[in-house]
């Protein structure tokens, strides 16, 4: 398979006045544009179906363009806004490859390029001590300092992968590995619309060596659909994660334990197959949807620096298979 990837990142920032740390920012503005093109040649595929990776040659491309605006509303209050454009096609209508090779492609056949809101959220930190830690400038991150011991609440629109299942070496398909099951936990069925985003809130208890996180987010009405189910007391996704950070011979490392529980009006594969056998029809998972269906799973993510700019990482995921 041939591959080409082009990525561009630009940044602007306004520092605070002389009374604040020199590197502190009142606001910053980043812009990225990434295009990924992929090609595969012909190969034998005797058992091909409409949902298989097709055996004939294919050449597809994706394009994303995002503006990252960060604004300091108060010493411990930050606002982030990300308008975005994304479009493109995946191999065989994004079918036939479990660990799909283009992480910029959502799980839809075609993403028509058009502007939309990717992220729109506010984060409020509550002090659990006076100590502060340095923070570098980045996309959705204002440079300066932040409370080292804090309880944080984030509310708004985001992708839950912004906060969970992080990994130093594989978390961003624009600059790192691009496989779906490499950039994130492949067994994690996280809540998202067609573009990969949702609405919800995140709670984080953060200390210098460890963190605990909890989030509750909206589920789409249908898989990967654009409309969300607003009955959040009944249908939602709950996520929990614990993270421990440390050093081995002065080299940074971390391990994270993730669990998730999705509540929605969903069907199950087992019920769909059983119903098809009883009726003599083709399996239809939508015919087995029941309110209150639960899907759950767990995951581990770890990374460890070995020498400067070189490290090792690993992910392990499991779900109930429903």
């Amino acid at each position: 398979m041939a591959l080409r990837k082009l990525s561009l990142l630009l940044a602007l920032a306004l520092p605070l006045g002389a009374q604040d740390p020199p590197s502190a920012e009142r606001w910053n503005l980043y812009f990225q544009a990434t295009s990924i093109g992929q090609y595969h040649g012909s190969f034998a595929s005797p058992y091909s179906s409409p949902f298989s990776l097709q055996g004939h040659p294919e050449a597809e491309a994706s394009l994303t363009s995002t503006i990252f605006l960060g604004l300091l509303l108060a010493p411990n209050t930050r606002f982030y806004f990300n308008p975005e454009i994304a479009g493109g096609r995946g191999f065989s209508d994004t079918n036939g490859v479990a660990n799909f090779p283009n992480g910029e492609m959502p799980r839809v056949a075609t993403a028509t390029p058009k502007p939309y809101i990717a992220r729109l959220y506010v984060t409020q930190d509550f002090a659990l001590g006076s100590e502060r830690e340095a923070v570098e400038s980045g996309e959705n991150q204002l440079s300066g300092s932040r409370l080292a011991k804090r309880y944080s609440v984030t509310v708004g629109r985001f992708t839950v992968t912004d906060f969970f299942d992080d990994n130093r070496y594989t978390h961003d398909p624009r600059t790192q590995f691009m496989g779906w099951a490499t950039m994130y936990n492949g067994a994690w069925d996280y809540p998202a619309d067609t573009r990969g985003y949702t609405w919800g809130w995140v709670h984080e208890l953060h200390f210098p060596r460890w963190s605990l996180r909890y989030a509750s987010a909206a589920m789409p009405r249908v898989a990967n659909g654009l409309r969300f189910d607003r009955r959040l007391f009944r249908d939602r996704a709950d996520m929990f994660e614990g993270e421990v950070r440390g050093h081995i011979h002065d080299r940074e490392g971390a391990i994270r334990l993730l669990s998730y529980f999705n509540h929605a009006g969903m069907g199950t594969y087992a019920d769909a197959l059983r119903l098809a056998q009883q009726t003599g029809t083709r399996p239809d998972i939508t015919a087995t949807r029941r309110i209150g269906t639960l899907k759950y799973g767990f995951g581990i993510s770890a990374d460890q620096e070995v020498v400067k700019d070189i490290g090792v990482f690993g992910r392990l995921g499991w779900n109930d298979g429903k």
Side-chain angles (χ1 to χ4, degrees):
M1 180 177 68
L3 165 70
R4 68 178 187 276
K5 178 163 70 172
L6 176 65
S7 184
L8 170 69
L9 178 65
L10 301 174
L12 294 172
L14 177 67
L16 292 172
Q19 72 276 13
D20 297 287
S23 61
E25 294 172 337
R26 179 177 292 120
W27 64 269
N28 64 16
L29 184 68
Y30 281 76
F31 168 80
Q32 77 81 26
T34 302
S35 178
I36 298 175
Q38 295 181 318
Y39 167 84
H40 77 75
S42 60
F43 59 90
S45 182
Y47 305 107
S48 180
S49 77
F51 295 104
S52 300
L53 180 67
Q54 300 304 303
H56 57 76
E58 292 183 285
E60 304 292 357
S62 65
L63 171 67
T64 64
S65 179
T66 315
I67 294 175
F68 302 88
L69 172 64
L71 180 63
L72 187 68
L73 301 180
N76 295 317
T77 308
R78 294 163 176 81
F79 167 78
Y80 297 105
F81 173 54
N82 296 172
E84 186 171 76
I85 296 176
R89 288 173 55 90
F91 288 145
S92 304
D93 292 336
T94 327
N95 291 314
V97 183
N99 183 21
F100 201 77
N102 184 353
E104 284 285 79
M105 282 301 303
R107 293 171 172 80
V108 293
T110 303
T112 304
K114 64 178 182 179
Y116 58 90
I117 296 176
R119 298 175 182 86
L120 179 67
Y121 65 87
V122 174
T123 297
Q124 175 66 51
D125 293 342
F126 299 93
L128 300 177
S130 59
E131 181 183 356
R132 302 187 73 88
E133 58 186 8
V135 179
E136 296 182 356
S137 180
E139 301 100 310
N140 294 334
Q141 184 167 283
L142 295 168
S143 70
S145 66
R146 194 172 178 184
L147 292 164
K149 298 178 181 180
R150 62 181 182 267
Y151 168 60
S152 302
V153 180
T154 297
V155 180
R157 178 172 170 84
F158 47 76
T159 173
V160 293
T161 58
D162 289 340
F163 304 94
F164 292 82
D165 193 40
D166 195 4
N167 194 290
R168 182 175 182 178
Y169 299 107
T170 175
H171 193 67
D172 184 357
R174 295 165 183 170
T175 59
Q176 298 171 322
F177 295 99
M178 298 188 300
W180 278 356
T182 309
M183 65 186 195
Y184 306 138
N185 179 347
W188 180 19
D189 196 4
Y190 61 87
D193 61 10
T194 302
R195 305 290 183 174
Y197 301 96
T198 185
W199 294 86
W201 65 356
V202 179
H203 300 256
E204 180 179 35
L205 185 63
H206 178 87
F207 284 77
R209 290 295 183 89
W210 58 271
S211 300
L212 294 176
R213 303 179 187 92
Y214 162 74
S216 185
M219 294 280 288
R221 293 190 176 185
V222 297
N224 302 312
L226 281 173
R227 300 179 63 189
F228 286 99
D229 191 333
R230 298 182 180 180
R231 294 163 294 190
L232 298 180
F233 289 102
R234 192 188 75 184
D235 301 333
R236 66 185 184 280
D238 295 316
M239 292 140 283
F240 304 84
E241 185 177 67
E243 177 181 7
V244 177
R245 298 173 291 275
H247 294 80
I248 298 179
H249 301 299
D250 296 327
R251 299 295 180 181
E252 294 183 359
I255 184 169
R256 305 163 195 87
L257 303 179
L258 169 73
S259 63
Y260 75 90
F261 303 86
N262 295 345
H263 312 262
M266 301 179 288
T268 67
Y269 298 123
D271 290 343
L273 293 173
R274 189 179 304 111
L275 180 63
Q277 291 177 344
Q278 294 172 353
T279 60
T281 59
R282 296 183 62 182
D284 180 8
I285 197 169
T286 63
T288 67
R289 288 175 177 165
R290 293 197 306 269
I291 295 174
T293 300
L294 171 67
K295 181 179 179 64
Y296 64 93
F298 306 93
I300 301 174
S301 174
D303 57 76
Q304 177 61 53
E305 184 181 40
V306 178
V307 296
K308 182 176 174 57
D309 298 326
I310 298 178
V312 295
F313 70 89
R315 273 195 173 94
L316 176 65
W318 177 91
N319 68 40
D320 61 358
K322 296 182 180 179

